[in-house]
Amino acid sequence: MNENARRLELDKILSACASHAVLEAGKELLLSCQPVCEVGEARAMLDLTEEATLLLFTLGAGKVEEFPPCGELLERAEKGATLSMAELLGTARLLRSARVLYRSVRSFSDERIVRMKELTEHLMFDERLEEDIGRKILNENELADHASEKLFSLRTQIRQLGERIRSRLQGYLSGEERKYLQDGIVKVRGDRFVIPVKAEYKRSVRGFVHDRSASGATVFIEPEEVLEMNNELRSLMLDEKEEAARILAELSHAVGRMRAQLEGDMQILASADAFYARAEYGYRLRAVRPELNARGTLEIVKGRHPLLDPGSAVPVSLSLGEGHRFLLISGANTGGKTVTLKMCGLFCLMAACGLFVPAAAGTRLSVFDGVWCDVGDSQSIEENLSTFSSHVVHIREILEQATERSLVLIDEPGGGTDPEEGAALARAVVAELLRRGCRGVVTTHYSALKEFAYSQDGIENGCMEFDAADFRPLYRLKIGAPGSSNALLICTRLGLPASVVEEARGYLSEGARAFEHTLRAAEESRVRTEEATRRARELQKEWETRLAALSKEEEKFRREREKFLLSSRAEARRIVSERTAYAEELLSEMEEIFRKKDLSESDLIRARTLKNKMTAEQPAEETPVRAVPVDAASLKAGDRVLVGAMGAEGTVLSVRRDKGTCEVSTGALRVNAKISDLYVAAPKAPVREQVRVTRNLSGRPAAKRELNIIGMTTAEGVAEAEAFLDAAVVANLQEVRIVHGYGTGKLRAAVHEMLRRNPRVEAFRLGKYGEGEGGVTVVTLR
């Protein structure tokens, strides 16, 4: 990593990103990552980071599985060396990691996963070898009994023979020889079973002495009678070791044959791990993918320096490269000029390393052939360089190597020397960089450089905002106007004696005081204007929201009123139908009486009774009643009122005199009405005793959900459908079916035309499979 990238703290960013890597090789790739200079390469890396983010945080894929470094052991295995059980288990983990990543990436059919599939398509793995190692090796020090049939047979014989030897030696532990023994436990020395005998009795037990204790009080003797069995046991154990070595050699040889493929796997897995780490770092940083270009255009939207606390950092937006190639940032000390300058260069380097940047959507960055910077105090005692000298050395390097595809960042050029000469040098350096066509950001306190930015094409002034009322920086960048340094105001805030500050102000030249005063006044005016604009926009947004809510409520009320009126008309139609049917019933009875040839007196009485019933059922002619407004002072809950806007009577539920409204229940609806729109309800007429007629009348049927009009003419079918919808609205049904069949399609077309015009219909569709398909129309009511 070059010194310019280190000055912008790219190494710290890569180190933070590497902490999310699983593999040591993945961490090394990130720590050694160099920014690319071609926009195509940078876009490819960002594609991989984006796909890794999609896999991890949207599709739920796992990261790369950890495995130990295997480079050296693979080389030994290829040369014929036998690997240890621990090394073979590490190789199995490498095989598993390659297999899991390969299948994980390909298990998703998402079309956005392209480059990760290309990256992992050359992964090689041997699932059978992986299973063999896992099945035959239990842990780093033990082979499984069933690693081979021979090993299982040998271990079985060893266990059985060991039991026989122990059983034979139990006679010494419980017999007459017990008095010669130090303790009653069978021991093993040099893979041979022995008994512990007290030193003074070693000649009392016939056998071979194999060892003695450190104190010399105990000798370990192998009795003669188990000598042959111990020899056989020793032979079996040697055979077991040979078989184990053969199994390990066989597995090692299989690993050695795959050396080239497994080394390729390690590189691919390390690369994938590095991109997964980039994805996790960007996710935790709430970063976005920037749009890249090669034109030198930058558009940072609400960017935050990644090393600052995201909870307290103030987002900064800036643009560069289209209207102006250089941005000159001025303003108060500690106002964020240097942080903004470093953020601009760091974002470009991060994107060139395949990293997302902590900014808002719409951020655009460019890929440069080099990012050159002179930031901070780089004085060197060893090299005998002062602050000014070190700045000059850095600027010389920039002027020697910067091209029109370079990004140049200079923090306060010309500092550390005479202000007038420093300002002149800074102006000359910026003018030279402009002539070369470079892009860049420069911070300064020099008034001469601010004036230069006003008169020179290709460079634009910008300032870090400052609150003069509270003597504090706002950490917001404003492009288009220079900023005042506010040095004396900051001194006041930091506690410098007021007399000293006033005396310093007196030493300022008249031109400097006037320039600083003008800048400060313009900045304060702009801040006040922007604050007023912000408040106006907030109010506008608030009222737009309220108006939208009122419009929705108005539309809801209109639909409810329309539904209420339709329901009322349907109910009136039903009452008329019932009355008509009742009258026809009475007339039918009268006709039946008068069809008789001989009328008796009882027949005449019956006919007169039927006539009186018909007369009694005729509604009395209503006399017009003048509407009387309600008394607002005496209006209370429970009063019956007439709502003028709806023409319907209702009961008052609550009264809000402060707003001049009240809540009224009208049937199934509750409405908020103005008190001025309420009238005294007409008194109810006395209920006349009704004659209950039961002859030839049935109870009112429940509303049907389906109407069959197959075989009817178009006019008949449409009329039946309208009456059916009226009944459904009265019954408060939400969905009904009209069965019209297929036929020529005329009946269906007529019904659909009626449904389009009917205000009670929310929507309609043909039936689905199982609902009658094209022979049925399903209607949704409002």
Side-chain angles (χ1 to χ4, degrees):
M1 182 178 298
N2 62 39
E3 191 60 32
N4 290 284
R6 201 177 301 279
R7 290 191 197 110
L8 294 175
E9 301 175 295
L10 178 63
D11 55 330
K12 296 181 180 179
I13 302 301
L14 294 176
S15 178
C17 181
S19 66
H20 298 288
V22 174
L23 307 176
E24 287 300 322
K27 294 179 181 179
E28 291 173 4
L29 277 179
L30 284 169
L31 293 175
S32 61
C33 180
Q34 297 292 334
V36 299
C37 298
E38 296 299 327
V39 67
E41 294 180 50
R43 284 174 180 160
M45 295 174 71
L46 288 176
D47 287 343
L48 282 164
T49 303
E50 184 174 26
E51 291 180 17
T53 304
L54 178 64
L55 285 166
L56 280 181
F57 302 107
T58 302
L59 301 178
K63 297 178 70 175
V64 174
E65 292 195 7
E66 189 272 337
F67 59 88
C70 299
E72 183 268 338
L73 66 89
L74 290 175
E75 182 180 359
R76 287 193 291 111
E78 187 185 37
K79 292 179 178 179
T82 299
L83 302 180
S84 68
M85 286 182 272
E87 290 172 333
L88 285 169
L89 287 174
T91 306
R93 287 163 63 185
L94 167 58
L95 288 166
R96 172 180 169 80
S97 183
R99 174 177 58 85
V100 169
L101 178 63
Y102 181 86
R103 292 180 178 172
S104 171
V105 171
R106 276 158 180 74
S107 64
F108 302 104
S109 58
D110 197 304
E111 295 179 354
R112 293 172 289 180
I113 308 300
V114 177
R115 292 194 181 271
M116 283 297 286
K117 289 182 178 179
E118 293 175 355
L119 175 66
T120 59
E121 79 175 312
H122 296 298
L123 280 172
M124 301 295 292
F125 52 90
D126 187 335
E127 195 167 0
R128 179 175 296 179
L129 176 59
E130 176 193 340
E131 290 177 355
D132 271 353
I133 296 174
R135 178 172 52 83
K136 293 178 179 180
I137 303 178
L138 296 180
N139 53 52
E140 295 182 355
N141 301 302
E142 184 179 5
L143 274 175
D145 290 348
H146 294 279
S148 72
E149 292 183 3
K150 183 177 180 181
L151 183 65
F152 178 74
S153 174
L154 289 169
R155 287 185 174 179
T156 301
Q157 294 178 57
I158 289 170
R159 283 192 291 270
Q160 291 174 350
L161 185 56
E163 290 300 321
R164 287 168 52 201
I165 296 172
R166 287 178 181 275
S167 176
R168 188 73 63 87
L169 292 178
Q170 285 297 325
Y172 287 88
L173 302 180
S174 58
E176 293 181 0
E177 292 87 353
R178 179 175 176 79
K179 60 185 177 182
Y180 306 133
L181 304 183
Q182 192 68 262
D183 54 48
I185 301 174
V186 176
K187 304 284 186 178
V188 177
R189 286 291 185 275
D191 294 335
R192 303 180 78 88
F193 286 94
V194 296
I195 54 176
V197 180
K198 296 177 183 177
E200 59 268 26
Y201 297 117
K202 64 181 180 179
R203 299 187 183 279
S204 300
V205 178
R206 293 178 61 83
F208 297 91
V209 177
H210 282 278
D211 199 2
R212 68 179 174 182
S213 65
S215 64
T218 304
V219 293
F220 299 97
I221 297 176
E222 177 185 5
E224 288 182 346
E225 58 181 307
V226 298
L227 176 63
E228 288 301 324
M229 287 191 291
N230 266 334
N231 288 339
E232 184 181 354
L233 179 65
R234 177 67 176 166
S235 176
L236 288 172
M237 293 179 73
L238 290 173
D239 290 344
E240 180 202 13
K241 288 183 179 179
E242 289 179 1
E243 179 62 13
R246 185 193 67 79
I247 293 170
L248 295 179
E250 185 179 89
L251 293 174
S252 301
H253 181 62
V255 170
R257 289 198 305 268
M258 292 188 66
R259 176 191 174 184
Q261 296 93 325
L262 292 178
E263 286 181 341
D265 283 357
M266 287 193 294
Q267 294 177 4
I268 295 171
L269 290 167
S271 181
D273 182 44
F275 283 107
Y276 277 130
R278 288 178 174 92
E280 186 169 355
Y281 178 68
Y283 181 80
R284 295 181 184 276
L285 206 60
R286 301 198 303 274
V288 300
R289 174 178 178 163
E291 299 175 22
L292 292 186
N293 64 81
R295 303 185 307 274
T297 301
L298 278 67
E299 182 75 29
I300 297 177
V301 183
K302 296 182 179 179
R304 309 180 312 276
H305 195 289
L307 297 180
L308 295 179
D309 180 6
S312 58
V314 178
V316 175
S317 299
L318 65 84
S319 60
L320 186 71
E322 291 185 346
H324 50 276
R325 290 181 284 113
F326 260 81
L327 181 63
L328 182 70
I329 304 178
S330 54
N333 290 307
T334 71
K337 299 189 301 298
T338 303
V339 171
T340 301
L341 175 141
K342 294 174 73 173
M343 179 191 73
C344 184
L346 182 58
F347 275 16
C348 293
L349 293 176
M350 288 174 67
C353 290
L355 288 164
F356 288 4
V357 296
T363 295
R364 294 183 297 157
L365 300 173
S366 183
V367 176
F368 296 96
D369 63 0
V371 176
W372 306 94
C373 66
D374 175 32
V375 181
D377 185 358
S378 303
Q379 64 177 327
S380 172
I381 296 176
E382 292 85 354
E383 297 180 11
N384 195 27
L385 291 176
S386 66
T387 298
F388 177 73
S389 300
S390 66
H391 282 306
V392 171
V393 169
H394 293 156
I395 291 174
R396 183 197 66 197
E397 293 175 352
I398 292 172
L399 294 177
E400 287 175 352
Q401 302 183 57
T403 69
E404 62 180 7
R405 289 194 61 234
S406 298
L407 179 66
V408 178
L409 309 169
I410 305 179
D411 187 27
E412 299 187 18
T417 188
D418 176 75
E420 187 173 351
E421 292 182 347
L425 176 62
R427 177 171 174 172
V429 168
V430 173
E432 173 62 20
L433 292 172
L434 282 171
R435 283 192 292 271
R436 293 192 182 187
C438 302
R439 269 70 173 172
V441 180
V442 177
T443 66
T444 189
H445 290 286
Y446 291 139
S447 299
L449 204 53
K450 301 173 191 177
E451 295 173 359
F452 170 73
Y454 266 127
S455 59
Q456 183 71 31
D457 292 337
I459 185 170
E460 182 65 81
N461 270 303
C463 68
M464 303 305 296
E465 296 184 355
F466 184 83
D467 188 345
D470 295 334
F471 302 127
R472 63 182 181 89
L474 299 177
Y475 307 106
R476 295 196 300 259
L477 175 64
K478 183 66 179 179
I479 297 177
S484 172
S485 296
N486 293 294
L488 298 181
L489 290 177
I490 293 175
C491 290
T492 303
R493 174 175 175 254
L494 296 177
L496 201 66
S499 59
V500 175
V501 174
E502 285 302 318
E503 184 175 355
R505 187 173 284 112
Y507 291 148
L508 289 174
S509 67
E510 189 66 30
R513 283 201 299 269
F515 185 75
E516 287 295 319
H517 176 74
T518 302
L519 285 181
R520 193 179 303 115
E523 187 173 348
E524 291 174 3
S525 176
R526 180 181 51 76
V527 170
R528 287 195 300 270
T529 302
E530 289 187 352
E531 181 65 20
T533 303
R534 183 186 63 79
R535 291 180 181 175
R537 287 175 179 168
E538 288 179 355
L539 286 173
Q540 180 183 5
K541 186 176 181 180
E542 179 182 351
W543 280 108
E544 286 176 353
T545 303
R546 290 187 180 183
L547 285 173
L550 285 173
S551 298
K552 289 182 180 178
E553 287 295 325
E554 182 181 2
E555 177 64 17
K556 181 180 177 183
F557 176 75
R558 185 190 65 76
R559 293 178 63 178
E560 288 180 349
R561 180 174 179 272
E562 184 178 343
K563 187 173 182 179
F564 174 77
L565 293 175
L566 291 172
S567 177
S568 300
R569 293 182 188 132
E571 182 67 14
R573 192 177 299 161
R574 183 188 63 79
I575 294 172
V576 170
S577 298
E578 288 184 354
R579 293 289 180 89
T580 303
Y582 179 60
E584 289 177 351
E585 179 88 18
L586 296 179
L587 286 173
S588 178
E589 289 188 36
M590 292 177 67
E591 289 176 357
E592 186 178 348
I593 292 172
F594 286 111
R595 275 198 294 268
K596 294 180 180 179
K597 294 181 179 180
D598 297 323
L599 296 175
S600 63
E601 186 176 352
S602 62
D603 291 334
L604 294 174
I605 293 172
R606 176 62 179 160
R608 190 177 296 111
T609 302
L610 294 172
K611 177 177 177 298
N612 292 337
K613 285 182 180 181
M614 291 182 65
T615 306
E617 289 298 324
Q618 294 297 323
E621 185 178 353
E622 296 184 359
T623 57
V625 179
R626 186 175 64 86
V628 179
V630 298
D631 183 7
S634 61
L635 186 65
K636 62 184 183 299
D639 287 352
R640 295 286 297 176
V641 295
L642 176 68
V643 183
M646 298 177 62
E649 290 188 9
T651 303
V652 177
L653 299 178
S654 62
V655 182
R656 299 192 64 177
R657 290 187 176 85
D658 55 339
K659 292 190 176 182
T661 62
C662 65
E663 188 177 12
V664 181
S665 173
T666 60
L669 298 178
R670 288 189 175 189
V671 297
N672 286 318
K674 294 182 179 179
I675 296 178
S676 60
D677 193 36
L678 302 181
Y679 300 90
V680 177
K684 290 186 178 180
V687 180
R688 298 177 60 181
E689 184 177 355
Q690 299 291 325
V691 178
R692 180 173 297 173
V693 179
T694 59
R695 184 179 180 185
N696 295 330
L697 291 178
S698 58
R700 181 181 173 187
K704 297 180 179 178
R705 293 183 177 272
E706 182 174 293
L707 172 67
N708 191 333
I709 58 174
I710 296 176
M712 296 184 184
T713 65
T714 300
E716 291 172 344
V718 170
E720 285 291 328
E722 287 183 334
F724 172 64
L725 294 178
D726 290 342
V729 170
V730 172
N732 204 24
L733 298 181
Q734 294 295 319
E735 188 175 272
V736 295
R737 290 158 39 98
I738 300 176
V739 182
H740 44 66
Y742 289 92
T744 62
K746 291 184 178 180
L747 183 56
R748 177 178 60 191
V751 169
H752 285 189
E753 182 62 28
M754 179 272 292
L755 294 174
R756 289 190 189 92
R757 298 194 311 269
N758 198 316
R760 294 161 293 184
V761 175
E762 178 76 22
F764 63 90
R765 61 177 175 80
L766 291 176
K768 299 178 182 176
Y769 179 76
E771 293 181 333
E773 301 182 6
V776 173
T777 295
V778 180
V779 184
T780 302
L781 299 173
R782 296 184 185 274

